[in-house]
Amino acid sequence: MATQLSNALAAFVCAAETGSFAAAGKVLGVSAPAIGQSVKRLEDAYGVVLIRRTTRKMNLTAEGALLYERAREPLRALDELDGIFRETRSTMSGPIRLTSPRGLGCRLVLPLVAEFRVDYPDVVFELDFTYQQRDFIDDGVDLAFRVLSPEDSSMIARRLTCNEHWTLASPTYLEMHGEPSHPDDLSGHRTIVCQKRFSDPMIAWQFDVAGNVRTFPQEPDLILNDPDAICEAAAMGMGIIQMRDDYARPLVERGELTPILKDFTAPANALYLCYPYKEHLPLRVRTFIDFVVDRVKADETGCAPHEGFHAARK
């Protein structure tokens, strides 16, 4: 009886989410009439109408909307538990939906995924490289690499790295325009800034001046939304940049960029691996989290986690 009720609820929830019995049948691998019979079984059991159907569309009644809201999360939890137990009985498999800032995608995330799939080839990754912050529930995201401090205190955030910000210019630029000795001097120089979306407010640079963090607004000569492109533009002599050390370091080592204003440090930020606050993560997700944390060694002496973060736990 419990199994029949669970199956009927699954059919009803799927029909509510897909918008038709036919679409729900395709998802669940049964016929549209079978979905209709399951919904009718629920309506008979509860003594209410759950779905009103016409030849063109279907709508949930008030009772149907209530049942959908109450039933969908328990059903997802049951599916998740089933996946966990299934993974423990067989080869680890299934999807991991992962989002990351675009600049980190090829630099960090793809190498991690490639290495992980050597041992777990049946895990399928769905990667979304974007500067938009995806929602774990609405966008169906399992994991998110995020820079700075995620503000959602309901998530787990495991710090991976702490990155300094360097101020840099090319040797050619410094020969032509001179080297600033103080952040105040930047107003007389060409600057290049990173702006994720052109509709966003202009990013200001920050420096520690005599023990106090001060903000220095910029009137840039060039605006780009990709960190690698910003580094390359600076290497071409187009202006001064402020950039995370992991992006700038290769160009510094090749002599294409030179750190400046070294007596005025810029505030560091951290990279976190974030995931929803829930007890039963699928085995494949938990395994990948542990793999990433092991590979990307966190600098424990650097940035402190945000006070609102939950303690990371597996």
Side-chain angles (χ1 to χ4, degrees):
M1 181 65 181
T3 300
Q4 290 181 349
L5 177 61
S6 177
N7 290 340
L9 284 171
F12 165 73
V13 168
C14 191
E17 292 179 338
T18 59
S20 73
F21 289 175
K26 289 181 180 179
V27 172
L28 298 177
V30 298
S31 65
I35 298 294
Q37 290 170 7
S38 294
V39 173
K40 182 65 166 59
R41 192 176 301 118
L42 286 176
E43 291 178 328
D44 291 343
Y46 294 131
V48 295
V49 176
L50 299 173
I51 293 177
R52 290 194 181 94
R53 298 178 66 203
T54 68
T55 56
R56 299 180 62 182
K57 62 180 180 179
M58 55 171 270
N59 293 305
L60 296 180
T61 64
E63 292 80 8
L66 175 63
L67 180 61
Y68 172 72
E69 290 299 324
R70 295 294 180 87
R72 61 176 179 172
E73 290 305 324
L75 286 173
R76 287 175 181 170
L78 288 173
D79 287 342
E80 187 176 273
L81 283 172
D82 180 67
I84 291 173
F85 290 128
R86 187 168 57 251
E87 286 175 332
T88 62
R89 298 192 303 267
S90 60
T91 302
M92 197 186 318
S93 62
I96 295 179
R97 298 180 181 90
L98 188 156
T99 183
S100 163
R102 193 163 58 219
L104 287 172
C106 292
R107 180 181 300 276
L108 175 68
V109 179
L110 278 181
L112 288 170
V113 168
E115 186 177 353
F116 184 81
R117 294 193 74 249
V118 172
D119 292 328
Y120 305 104
D122 294 323
V123 174
V124 177
F125 282 87
E126 300 175 19
L127 303 178
D128 175 42
F129 296 156
T130 177
Y131 289 123
Q132 297 181 18
Q133 187 162 299
R134 302 301 191 193
D135 184 83
F136 289 109
I137 303 301
D138 293 343
D139 297 313
V141 173
D142 296 309
L143 296 169
F145 287 83
R146 290 181 179 170
V147 178
L148 298 177
S149 299
E151 297 178 354
D152 184 356
S153 62
S154 67
M155 75 173 69
I156 307 297
R158 300 185 70 170
R159 193 184 64 191
L160 300 176
T161 63
C162 190
N163 295 102
E164 298 176 345
H165 276 90
W166 292 348
T167 308
L168 312 107
S170 71
T172 301
Y173 177 90
L174 296 175
E175 289 176 7
M176 292 180 61
H177 302 281
E179 180 176 342
S181 59
H182 191 279
D184 286 331
D185 299 335
L186 290 171
S187 59
H189 282 267
R190 296 177 182 176
T191 57
I192 307 170
V193 301
C194 180
Q195 197 168 323
K196 297 174 183 178
R197 292 179 295 269
F198 293 144
S199 59
D200 288 346
M202 189 64 63
I203 295 175
W205 292 355
Q206 293 184 319
F207 294 90
D208 186 323
V209 180
N212 296 310
V213 175
R214 287 179 50 192
T215 298
F216 293 82
Q218 300 300 311
E219 295 183 2
D221 296 86
L222 182 62
I223 301 171
L224 293 166
N225 69 347
D226 181 81
D228 287 310
I230 290 172
C231 290
E232 292 299 330
M236 295 175 187
M238 299 177 71
I240 297 172
I241 63 172
Q242 193 174 85
M243 182 56 58
R244 281 175 43 185
D245 61 335
D246 55 333
Y247 287 100
R249 191 180 305 277
L251 286 85
V252 172
E253 291 175 348
R254 295 197 300 266
E256 298 177 37
L257 289 177
T258 300
I260 61 175
L261 297 174
K262 289 182 285 187
D263 292 333
F264 303 91
T265 57
N269 63 24
L271 173 66
Y272 295 89
L273 180 58
C274 306
Y275 47 97
Y277 184 76
K278 56 184 180 180
E279 295 292 335
H280 303 293
L281 288 172
L283 179 62
R284 61 185 179 275
V285 176
R286 288 188 285 119
T287 302
F288 184 70
I289 291 170
D290 291 339
F291 168 82
V292 171
V293 172
D294 180 64
R295 290 293 187 277
V296 185
K297 303 297 184 182
D299 179 4
E300 296 300 333
T301 63
C303 303
H306 188 276
E307 291 180 357
F309 290 178
H310 288 285
R313 63 181 181 179
K314 300 175 185 178

